[in-house]
Amino acid sequence: MTRDPDATGPDATDPGGTGTGPAGGGANLAVLRGHNAALVLDLLRTAGPDGISRLELADRTGLTPQAVSKITARLRAEGLADGAGRRASTGGKPRTVLRLVPGAARAVGVHLDRDGATVVLTDLAGTPLAVRRRSLDLTAGPGPVLAAVAAEVRALPSAGPARMLGAGVAMPGPLDHRRGVPGRVTGAPVWAGEPVRDALAARIGLPVTLDKDTNAAALGLALRPGAPRSFAYVHLGTGLGAGLVLGGVPLRGARTGAGELGHQTVQLDGPPCACGARGCLEVLCLAAVARGDLPGAARLLGTGAANLVRLLDADRILLGGRVVRGAPDVLAAGVRAVLAGLGLPVPVETVTAPHAVATGAAHLVLAPFFGLDGTAGGATLGPVGGPVGGE
Amino acid sequence: MTRDPDATGPDATDPGGTGTGPAGGGANLAVLRGHNAALVLDLLRTAGPDGISRLELADRTGLTPQAVSKITARLRAEGLADGAGRRASTGGKPRTVLRLVPGAARAVGVHLDRDGATVVLTDLAGTPLAVRRRSLDLTAGPGPVLAAVAAEVRALPSAGPARMLGAGVAMPGPLDHRRGVPGRVTGAPVWAGEPVRDALAARIGLPVTLDKDTNAAALGLALRPGAPRSFAYVHLGTGLGAGLVLGGVPLRGARTGAGELGHQTVQLDGPPCACGARGCLEVLCLAAVARGDLPGAARLLGTGAANLVRLLDADRILLGGRVVRGAPDVLAAGVRAVLAGLGLPVPVETVTAPHAVATGAAHLVLAPFFGLDGTAGGATLGPVGGPVGGE
DNA sequence: TGCACTTGGGCAACAGCGTTGCTTAAGTGC
DNA sequence: GCACTTAAGCAACGCTGTTGCCCAAGTGCA
């Protein structure tokens, strides 16, 4: 790998030498710089168009103002940040406001559903710039589907001077996020073991990240400004699943298997499920939906949500998916009622954004830029010392 | 705070200036050094008495051998590490083996149970050196109980030249781990709102960390050599709870409320529970234990474990607590049978160590030394770049 | 026994990080 | 118009891991 001495972004170098083997955890100066740059970028992103001042950045990061000045100078030189006027003076020189330049880079998000593909182009802030939708049959397998997806990606408006970071792909699980390989997808077992990530990367000439649809949606929601640190995104569509965000990072587990809310047993002697258990939440919930009993489905969803809140101490429940988009108020009210009845004061919201999964897929590519990999469970280097520093 | 130029431990300075406010995330050279030192210390700890060579440390951390030499030299100067012979030569100069010096520091672990307190003194590796047990009534409240605990701590063998790091306290939840304050403990509501951490710290003159008993036990298990990255510790005693370890770090949640396995609904129309719900796992499981139906309790536990495995993608299930210690084989077999029946090939083990919770409580103090705070969800500064570094 | 070779590890110089001390810029308020 | 306050940059600095080089300490073959 060549080394560009002018590059200062979080991805400028190959810190830690991850070329081969495990190579875990060791931090050198390049990692340090990348970490702080990503931290500042994340604060700029969260601040949105309003921007944020250097001193506020220093306060939020714990770095000295001078360090923030140096870091932001590098980011400005890279074109990732720029000034945006001044704040009102408080008796002295007014603060200069800094802002993320959303147009500095772009990303592609792909949502592979059972009956189609949604492809979205976003800027660095994750704002959708263009959306394309194409009907296709997932059971046709990787060959034709990926060819169609690649065509849609190429049909997106060209990036121009903006740097294209890559593409994130979200599809139904199970799959292996690390290797980028799907498992035995329900209803489309052709995909099992196919190297989807690498195959698509070769087709479109961009880095590709693969993840479950629920994880992608949860990641996109986790990166919204003001998002809670820990929440559960409950998705009710053709199936029932959840994306769990704990401490700002999606929980995937070693085999990307986390979030299987649908096969939680909630009725020991309930109806049998294809998974081998009885009384799975998904079976009960889908049955209620099928017979038109949305309040009943909401109550079941509420029980599942209560289990999540109690087990994970989640700050919020977000409801999404086709069924929820169809009747957001009924479902949210039902879930809220169950939680309130148990004395769990957790806010419940519905996600009605049209392309939440596809946008979230784009965030799979954007998140590492802001230090939010999530691959290994959080990239935050907290202040060391803990309770020992009492000397 | 005074600055000691000779100190090189992970807690040597106040990196990032955490004096006031949030001060999150920003990393300076002191943080960098502490991070790498903690990383190396953790590898030394995991290697145990066999030790580990410099080159292996370099390989595992991703640091250069020279950096490892500098870091280990500092650790040796601090008395935290030393040489332990040489490995067999592979054709050249044989590798020098380094080892953690367990006697370099000590910690105290306190397990506050409903009917007594267990106090354990451990070395830096977490090995118990002395154990004291005292019967007392938790409902008597913080005053008398903490006085008794302080007396037991003082009665422990003196540390001698070893540095005393502090004391970890484990007690039934709910409680606030960050502030060190218990909530409304079932059966002993006197403790609600009492500043237990600070009160005990003042009494014994040591830094104190407070956590739930299940979290402490899970932490102790997570720090055992060869422990899986993600597992659930299921504790069945007077109640039913769980300690969740995800990515090597205990999951606590914002309000230290995570792990409430006992109040997971598994039978929608089941018997009512004091928590307001019906069919809570704890109620069903304790009822089975009460009527002597241990296989039945094991099946229920297995259902709860299966829910955990599916929701969190856990690598292993560890069973502990008074009931499990009484009949480990019956319960483990029952849980294994349920998991196997669902096609979940997850190992199930029982924890029969006599003072697992008290030892785990000591690890609350030891863990930050090895970069395993867990307070903010993982202190690992992973290699930055992610999927973007494909240029 | 002696020599070439391989492998481990330390010394010294170095690039680059955030920090510190100081100066300059740019406002407010009397 | 002047003193004061606050923001931001310049320059020197301490300290990090890295690099290049040399020495130490083994094996293996002649």
Side-chain angles (χ1 to χ4, degrees):
Chain A
M1 171 173 290
T2 59
R3 198 187 165 98
D4 181 3
D6 290 336
T8 50
D11 53 335
T13 56
D14 181 19
T18 41
T20 61
N28 56 21
L29 288 175
V31 171
L32 182 75
R33 177 174 65 171
H35 172 80
N36 286 338
L39 205 66
V40 169
L41 274 173
D42 190 45
L43 288 172
L44 289 172
R45 183 187 64 80
T46 316
D50 295 343
I52 184 173
S53 71
R54 284 179 180 77
L55 287 173
E56 207 173 340
L57 286 170
D59 196 51
R60 298 277 288 276
T61 58
L63 296 169
T64 58
Q66 183 62 25
V68 171
S69 278
K70 284 190 176 183
I71 292 166
T72 54
R74 287 198 297 259
L75 295 177
R76 295 179 68 161
E78 284 272 299
L80 295 172
D82 68 350
R86 301 178 163 181
R87 287 223 197 291
S89 166
T90 59
K93 178 175 175 176
R95 300 184 174 183
T96 312
V97 175
L98 297 171
R99 224 181 26 180
L100 185 71
V101 179
R106 298 184 177 183
V108 172
V110 178
H111 178 197
L112 278 183
D113 208 343
R114 289 201 156 70
D115 52 0
T118 307
V119 177
V120 59
L121 175 73
T122 78
D123 62 16
L124 187 53
T127 309
L129 303 175
V131 181
R132 297 180 67 87
R133 169 84 190 171
R134 172 135 157 196
S135 304
L136 46 80
D137 182 13
L138 195 66
T139 58
V145 168
L146 292 186
V149 167
E152 292 299 320
V153 170
R154 274 191 291 270
L156 289 170
S158 89
R163 179 175 166 191
M164 174 59 76
L165 293 176
V169 177
M171 62 180 290
L175 55 82
D176 185 333
H177 164 262
R178 291 187 186 170
R179 295 191 299 129
V181 177
R184 208 168 40 79
V185 180
T186 317
V190 220
W191 291 77
E194 294 285 336
V196 168
R197 182 188 62 192
D198 298 342
L200 186 60
R203 277 184 192 270
I204 61 177
L206 289 173
V208 172
T209 305
L210 182 71
D211 208 341
K212 284 205 295 191
D213 43 13
T214 46
N215 286 347
L219 178 63
L221 297 169
L223 290 181
R224 293 190 305 182
R229 295 283 300 165
S230 299
F231 66 88
Y233 168 72
V234 177
H235 185 101
L236 181 56
T238 53
L240 172 62
L244 309 175
V245 173
L246 303 175
V249 186
L251 172 73
R252 297 197 176 92
R255 291 160 297 278
T256 328
E260 271 301 339
L261 183 65
H263 298 286
Q264 297 281 296
T265 299
V266 294
Q267 180 77 22
L268 287 165
D269 53 0
C273 171
C275 77
R278 304 183 76 94
C280 286
L281 188 59
E282 182 177 85
V283 171
L284 299 171
C285 208
L286 290 182
V289 172
R291 68 174 178 262
D293 179 13
L294 284 186
R299 274 195 301 277
L300 288 161
L301 227 47
T303 300
N307 281 358
L308 284 179
V309 168
R310 286 178 158 168
L311 191 65
L312 306 176
D313 200 4
D315 296 326
R316 202 171 300 182
I317 297 289
L318 302 180
L319 303 175
R322 213 167 288 186
V323 176
V324 174
R325 268 205 307 280
D329 295 339
V330 177
L331 289 166
V335 172
R336 275 195 203 100
V338 174
L339 291 175
L342 296 175
L344 300 172
V346 178
V348 176
E349 295 174 15
T350 53
V351 180
T352 50
H355 310 294
V357 177
T359 312
H363 280 100
L364 290 170
V365 173
L366 298 172
F369 217 80
F370 303 106
L372 302 162
D373 285 72
T375 325
T380 337
L381 180 60
V384 184
V388 196
E391 192 186 359
Chain B
M1 172 173 289
T2 59
R3 198 187 164 97
D4 181 2
D6 290 337
T8 51
D11 52 336
T13 55
D14 179 19
T18 41
T20 60
N28 55 21
L29 287 175
V31 171
L32 182 75
R33 177 173 66 172
H35 172 80
N36 286 337
L39 205 65
V40 170
L41 274 173
D42 189 46
L43 288 173
L44 289 172
R45 183 187 64 79
T46 316
D50 295 344
I52 185 172
S53 71
R54 284 179 181 76
L55 287 173
E56 208 173 341
L57 286 171
D59 196 50
R60 299 278 286 277
T61 57
L63 296 169
T64 57
Q66 183 61 25
V68 171
S69 278
K70 283 190 177 183
I71 292 166
T72 55
R74 288 199 297 260
L75 295 178
R76 295 179 67 161
E78 284 272 300
L80 295 172
D82 68 350
R86 301 178 162 180
R87 287 223 198 291
S89 166
T90 60
K93 180 174 176 175
R95 301 183 174 183
T96 311
V97 175
L98 297 172
R99 225 181 25 182
L100 185 71
V101 178
R106 297 184 178 183
V108 172
V110 178
H111 178 198
L112 278 182
D113 209 342
R114 289 203 157 69
D115 52 0
T118 308
V119 178
V120 59
L121 176 72
T122 79
D123 61 16
L124 188 53
T127 310
L129 303 174
V131 181
R132 298 180 65 88
R133 168 83 190 171
R134 173 136 156 194
S135 303
L136 46 79
D137 183 13
L138 196 66
T139 58
V145 168
L146 293 186
V149 167
E152 292 299 322
V153 171
R154 275 191 291 269
L156 290 169
S158 90
R163 177 175 167 191
M164 174 59 76
L165 293 177
V169 177
M171 62 180 292
L175 56 81
D176 185 334
H177 163 261
R178 292 187 185 169
R179 295 191 300 129
V181 176
R184 209 168 39 81
V185 181
T186 317
V190 220
W191 291 76
E194 292 286 335
V196 168
R197 182 188 62 192
D198 297 342
L200 187 61
R203 277 185 192 269
I204 62 178
L206 289 173
V208 171
T209 306
L210 181 72
D211 208 341
K212 283 205 298 190
D213 43 12
T214 45
N215 286 347
L219 178 63
L221 297 169
L223 289 181
R224 292 190 306 182
R229 294 285 298 167
S230 299
F231 65 89
Y233 169 73
V234 176
H235 185 101
L236 179 57
T238 53
L240 174 60
L244 309 175
V245 173
L246 302 176
V249 185
L251 173 72
R252 296 197 176 92
R255 292 160 296 280
T256 328
E260 270 301 338
L261 183 65
H263 297 287
Q264 297 281 295
T265 299
V266 294
Q267 180 77 21
L268 287 166
D269 53 359
C273 171
C275 77
R278 303 183 77 95
C280 285
L281 187 59
E282 182 177 84
V283 170
L284 299 170
C285 205
L286 290 182
V289 172
R291 65 175 179 264
D293 179 12
L294 283 186
R299 275 194 300 277
L300 287 161
L301 227 46
T303 300
N307 281 359
L308 284 179
V309 168
R310 286 177 158 168
L311 190 66
L312 306 176
D313 200 4
D315 296 325
R316 202 171 300 183
I317 296 289
L318 302 180
L319 303 175
R322 214 169 287 186
V323 176
V324 174
R325 269 205 306 280
D329 295 338
V330 177
L331 289 167
V335 172
R336 275 194 203 101
V338 174
L339 291 175
L342 295 175
L344 301 172
V346 178
V348 176
E349 295 173 16
T350 53
V351 180
T352 50
H355 309 295
V357 177
T359 312
H363 280 100
L364 290 171
V365 173
L366 297 172
F369 216 80
F370 303 106
L372 303 161
D373 287 70
T375 325
T380 336
L381 180 60
V384 185
V388 195
E391 190 186 1

